[in-house]
Amino acid sequence: MILRTQKIELNPNNKQSTLMSQHAGYARVAFNFALSSFNAGLEVDEWRTYQDIKREFNAVKRDRFPWCDGLSQNASKNAIHNFGDALTRWKSKQNRFPTFRKRSGKCSYQADNGVGTVEVYKKRIKLPKIGWVRMREALRFTGEVSKVVVSKRNGRWFVSILVRCDSSNYTHQPTLFDDKQPIGIDVGINTLATCSNGVKYENPRPLKRYQRKLRRANKALSRKSKGSQNWQKAKKRLGAVHYRIGCIREDTHHKASTAIVKRASAIGIETLNISGLLKNRRLAKALLDSALSGFLTMLKYKADRRRVSITQANRFFASSKTCSNCGHKKTDLTLSDRTYHCTGCGFECDRDLNAAINLCPV
Ligand SMILES: [Zn+2]
């Protein structure tokens, strides 16, 4: 059995989108109820499990939240389960202690009631208490639908569907090119990816245009007084720009990573300096770096699906400073040096290409 997720945009009518908002609100209320109940338990030295909390919630919900009657109880049930998972992760030190969900925060809820409880037919999905909602595209995978999460972003509704696929249908994807070779990849700001075979994947031009828009939207927001009507509007506008940038970036990353993995027999990548990133106070730069680590993650899972081995270089490996011809290490390389010129052997080559060759496996 193989698990696959697909996120699809929904095309709900007005009534349906109102209902989805109400369900997301219900999930938020249930999660916050669970958190305060757990905190109250801690005060009297009692460890309440999520099962205890669920029982408590079900006993009082009709009195305290009478409006929940027309809604699917899966929303609250799954929210309390999620709280339980968050507690487990906190206990095993994977996460910080859960915090209360805000009305202005993420708007989402889990709609299913276990494996096989939500029906998907062509470009439609049947959500409990909401009915058949149109989807922008059909589900790509065949199998049992096991988890359905509805979420809202930038005024649009999405559904993320987890499918349990029969593994015999998905052994591995076919080999498409005969001339496969090991490829090293250098990722960067101006050029998204430089491959050791000389192929470059540029970042698309709209990205730069939207970077400027982002800066302007940020400035506009900072000029408004916090919490005011105009501040809310500016915040929405900023969110829209972020969303657009995210979409363009994700699209580029998908296209480049698929193209690379299709042609590679083995892949070598670098390790991005994430701790260095946290010290960086410039927001835009930090966002970009996290986007690059997202690109590397994409390369990893796509390589894995095609059974292409992937090696990640040691964090301290100086792929840019080392000469790919003789191994000489240059200590005075600055970011503005676009060409690598080796003082040891006289080798000269594009800076990113030199790094990519260094990262190439074998
Ligand atoms: Zn050299």
Side-chain angles (χ1 to χ4, degrees):
M1 197 215 20
I2 285 179
L3 294 172
R4 287 281 183 269
T5 320
Q6 192 180 350
K7 194 171 181 178
I8 305 173
E9 190 176 344
L10 293 170
N11 249 347
N13 59 34
N14 283 342
K15 205 177 154 194
Q16 288 171 335
S17 75
T18 307
L19 274 168
M20 288 194 280
S21 295
Q22 286 170 354
H23 276 94
Y26 186 32
R28 189 187 74 239
V29 164
F31 186 92
N32 289 344
F33 177 93
L35 178 52
S36 41
S37 166
F38 181 78
N39 284 339
L42 281 188
E43 298 226 324
V44 292
D45 276 337
E46 178 193 332
W47 184 277
R48 290 185 191 164
T49 64
Y50 78 90
Q51 289 99 332
D52 299 335
I53 296 170
K54 196 159 71 177
R55 233 171 283 126
E56 187 192 347
F57 181 79
N58 286 335
V60 301
K61 67 182 176 187
R62 308 269 168 210
D63 294 324
R64 281 189 60 187
F65 319 111
W67 43 265
C68 79
D69 237 2
L71 302 177
S72 162
Q73 298 308 311
N74 299 347
S76 60
K77 189 198 80 176
N78 288 320
I80 294 173
H81 283 202
N82 284 342
F83 174 75
D85 292 343
L87 269 191
T88 315
R89 283 198 301 272
W90 169 64
K91 258 197 322 196
S92 61
K93 294 198 167 60
Q94 284 172 285
N95 262 27
R96 275 189 279 179
F97 190 70
T99 51
F100 285 103
R101 291 190 181 166
K102 291 185 212 151
R103 191 190 283 269
S104 60
K106 226 175 86 186
C107 182
S108 77
Y109 78 99
Q110 191 182 330
D112 63 272
N113 190 23
V115 181
T117 53
V118 172
E119 235 181 304
V120 178
Y121 180 71
K122 287 183 179 169
K123 285 162 82 173
R124 279 157 198 277
I125 183 163
K126 195 181 184 188
L127 297 173
K129 296 279 176 184
I130 296 176
W132 288 100
V133 183
R134 284 171 297 166
M135 299 194 292
R136 286 279 172 99
E137 56 184 325
L139 191 62
R140 236 180 299 146
F141 310 109
T142 48
E144 265 187 317
V145 172
S146 72
K147 190 176 169 186
V148 174
V149 177
V150 178
S151 62
K152 190 184 190 183
R153 198 166 167 214
N154 194 36
R156 299 158 190 255
W157 285 99
F158 295 88
V159 64
S160 176
I161 307 172
L162 180 71
V163 187
R164 290 171 165 214
C165 309
D166 182 9
S167 51
S168 61
N169 292 336
Y170 296 90
T171 42
H172 63 97
Q173 282 155 315
T175 320
L176 296 169
F177 295 89
D178 296 332
D179 54 338
K180 288 185 153 206
Q181 52 181 326
I183 296 177
I185 305 156
D186 176 69
V187 295
I189 297 166
N190 296 312
T191 305
L192 170 65
T194 308
C195 300
S196 55
N197 58 2
V199 182
K200 283 191 172 205
Y201 296 91
E202 297 293 336
N203 269 316
R205 296 178 73 87
L207 209 54
K208 272 189 188 154
R209 194 171 78 225
Y210 279 99
Q211 293 288 6
R212 275 198 296 276
K213 281 196 173 183
L214 182 67
R215 212 158 40 231
R216 235 178 302 154
N218 260 318
K219 271 186 195 161
L221 181 68
S222 68
R223 277 196 299 267
K224 310 282 184 288
S225 61
K226 202 175 172 183
S228 68
Q229 278 292 316
N230 282 327
W231 181 83
Q232 297 284 3
K233 273 189 236 165
K235 202 172 174 224
K236 214 169 175 181
R237 237 170 269 142
L238 175 64
V241 181
H242 270 300
Y243 174 75
R244 192 79 195 106
I245 290 177
C247 289
I248 296 170
R249 186 170 278 147
E250 205 186 324
D251 181 55
T252 315
H253 288 184
H254 269 303
K255 282 172 182 159
S257 55
T258 301
I260 291 170
V261 173
K262 272 182 183 172
R263 286 171 178 80
S265 60
I267 290 175
I269 52 174
E270 60 195 299
T271 304
L272 293 171
N273 187 3
I274 300 295
S275 57
L277 180 146
L278 294 175
K279 283 181 213 132
N280 193 327
R281 281 179 298 146
R282 282 182 59 204
L283 182 72
K285 177 70 174 55
L287 277 176
L288 196 91
D289 283 358
S290 63
L292 286 180
S293 69
F295 177 59
L296 294 185
T297 310
M298 232 178 234
L299 273 170
K300 277 187 231 166
Y301 84 75
K302 286 184 185 180
D304 194 47
R305 278 188 199 173
R306 286 182 191 270
R307 306 237 171 119
V308 175
S309 75
I310 190 155
T311 39
Q312 196 154 14
N314 183 298
R315 174 191 297 271
F316 302 106
F317 178 57
S319 58
S320 307
K321 289 178 181 167
T322 310
C323 171
S324 59
N325 191 39
C326 71
H328 175 81
K329 204 167 151 188
K330 214 171 168 167
T331 45
D332 58 344
L333 191 82
T334 61
L335 263 175
S336 55
D337 295 336
R338 295 317 306 164
T339 313
Y340 186 90
H341 185 94
C342 179
T343 44
C345 67
F347 175 74
E348 225 180 67
C349 137
D350 176 80
R351 175 209 172 92
D352 296 338
L353 184 59
N354 179 59
I357 296 171
N358 281 328
L359 289 162
C360 188
V362 197

